[in-house]
Amino acid sequence: MAHWLYKSEPAAWSWEQQKAAGEKGTEWTGVRNYLARNNMRAMQIGDKGFFYHSNDGLEIVGIVEVCALSHPDSTAKDDARWDCVDIRAVRDMPKPVTLKDVKASEALSKMALVTSMRLSVQPVTDEEWLEVCRMGGLDNPPR
């Protein structure tokens, strides 16, 4: 299983809205960056990810999982270049992990959230996954 981080501005799509989408989940649409798109194309059913509130909040607030493989993004109209996956909420992060906390952690100094801040869909290493989960109060994180 791979791990990921999905960025969303809470005014556009919040963690509460993601949770309200239920078991069916929702398409992760609107990504118009080739590297982020390629990250989604690499995802597998069951891959877990962090849900990150960007711009307003700047914190990891929940955990999601991929529930549908990469497919054409329904918001891309007739532009076949853009794909998306479907994700569903798994659980709240007991203690949101702020960007400030991530940047202060030596163990997370190479995390894409620190080094590639503008990338909207990012890979997360197993070590980073466990460290962020620990920081967020998850002793037995979903894998």
Side-chain angles (χ1 to χ4, degrees), residues 17-51:
Q17 289 171 297
Q18 184 65 49
K19 291 191 301 186
E23 276 297 304
K24 181 179 175 232
T26 187
E27 289 184 319
W28 196 256
T29 60
V31 174
R32 301 297 183 265
N33 172 284
Y34 287 107
L35 182 54
R37 181 212 55 195
N38 291 345
N39 286 338
M40 289 192 290
R41 286 181 174 177
M43 292 177 185
Q44 298 298 312
I45 299 290
D47 280 0
K48 301 295 187 286
F50 293 125
F51 192 101

Side-chain angles (χ1 to χ4, degrees), residues 12-140:
W13 185 255
S14 71
W15 175 239
E16 293 304 317
Q17 289 171 297
Q18 184 65 49
K19 291 191 301 186
E23 276 297 304
K24 181 179 175 232
T26 187
E27 289 184 319
W28 196 256
T29 60
V31 174
R32 301 297 183 265
N33 172 284
Y34 287 107
L35 182 54
R37 181 212 55 195
N38 291 345
N39 286 338
M40 289 192 290
R41 286 181 174 177
M43 292 177 185
Q44 298 298 312
I45 299 290
D47 280 0
K48 301 295 187 286
F50 293 125
F51 192 101
Y52 177 80
H53 276 165
S54 62
N55 291 343
D56 182 23
L58 300 177
E59 58 190 1
I60 296 167
V61 294
I63 294 178
V64 295
E65 74 178 353
V66 175
C67 58
L69 294 175
S70 179
H71 56 84
D73 182 330
S74 64
T75 67
K77 308 276 189 249
D78 296 325
D79 190 344
R81 292 177 297 168
W82 305 114
D83 290 358
C84 66
V85 294
D86 291 13
I87 61 172
R88 66 174 154 238
V90 172
R91 66 165 301 153
D92 293 322
M93 186 64 73
K95 176 185 175 244
V97 179
T98 67
L99 177 60
K100 184 177 178 181
D101 293 337
V102 169
K103 286 182 172 183
S105 170
E106 181 64 32
L108 300 175
S109 64
K110 295 182 180 166
M111 188 173 183
L113 186 59
V114 174
T115 63
S116 302
M117 290 189 59
R118 296 187 53 85
L119 189 60
S120 62
V121 179
Q122 309 174 348
V124 174
T125 68
D126 291 343
E127 295 79 17
E128 293 164 348
W129 177 260
L130 292 172
E131 179 63 13
V132 171
C133 286
R134 184 197 64 73
M135 292 168 68
L138 289 176
D139 296 328
N140 190 15

Side-chain angles (χ1 to χ4, degrees), residues 4-15:
W4 309 94
L5 182 138
Y6 303 83
K7 288 183 170 184
S8 183
E9 295 181 25
W13 185 255
S14 71
W15 175 239

